[in-house]
Amino acid sequence: FPSHDMPANYMQDGRILRLRAFGGYGTTGTPTLIFTVRWGGVSGTVIARSSTVTTTSGVGGGASMTALWGMEVIIQTRANGSSGTLMTNGIAHLFTSTAATAGTVTNYGLPVPIVSGSTGGTTPAVATVDLTADTALSITATWGTNNAANSIQGHNYLIETLN
């Protein structure tokens, strides 16, 4: 996804953003995948991260990317300023195809927690960032195995201010 520019001083105390994104992916083997939300562009400060998730083998057939992924993340300002703090938590879902199988557990979707802080895992921690400058908000996805069949793309991306 392209980064979204957040205006300087927009993230005042208590402000909440809801970020939703959806797309497709394909795999070969059982590669790992990490979703990251960053403040400052695709190489910026990690404000939330998923744990490393092992995906299903052979999903979507590489370039066809027939499997769906989706995520929802809430970003809340705990303190504004040049050393501002953000608490960011959410969840991503990885599906193995675009059609579920009724009456079975096939394709109900693997939930992946996205936890505030730079390490993922299960213990949320605030991220310290400069909220006084125009800054890019970005989503990144990183494969653990480099293979042309391990591919991901974004289809829809929404950022809402909730207060």
Side-chain angles (χ1 to χ4, degrees):
F1 286 109
S3 297
H4 178 78
D5 288 331
M6 301 302 300
N9 300 306
Y10 185 74
M11 298 300 289
Q12 294 298 308
D13 289 349
R15 169 127 320 143
I16 298 173
L17 301 178
R18 178 171 41 203
L19 183 150
R20 291 181 179 170
F22 299 91
Y25 76 102
T27 66
T28 186
T30 54
T32 60
L33 181 61
I34 299 171
F35 289 100
T36 309
V37 181
R38 297 175 181 267
W39 190 263
V42 297
S43 297
T45 301
V46 174
I47 62 172
R49 178 183 181 279
S50 73
S51 58
T52 302
V53 61
T54 301
T55 63
T56 303
S57 179
V59 173
S64 67
M65 290 187 258
T66 58
L68 176 72
W69 67 269
M71 71 185 307
E72 181 172 2
V73 175
I74 301 294
I75 303 168
Q76 184 174 32
T77 306
R78 293 292 176 92
N80 61 20
S82 59
S83 294
T85 55
L86 300 173
M87 178 60 77
T88 306
N89 291 294
I91 195 162
H93 283 92
L94 296 171
F95 298 91
T96 57
S97 68
T98 55
T101 302
T104 72
V105 295
T106 302
N107 201 42
Y108 280 140
L110 171 67
V112 179
I114 298 173
V115 181
S116 193
S118 62
T119 61
T122 58
T123 307
V126 296
T128 302
V129 295
D130 183 359
L131 299 174
T132 64
D134 292 348
T135 306
L137 177 62
S138 302
I139 299 171
T140 60
T142 305
W143 292 106
T145 303
N146 186 12
N147 186 300
N150 297 335
S151 53
I152 191 165
Q153 62 183 205
H155 297 282
N156 308 98
Y157 182 40
L158 170 73
I159 299 176
E160 300 172 284
T161 301
L162 300 180
N163 60 351

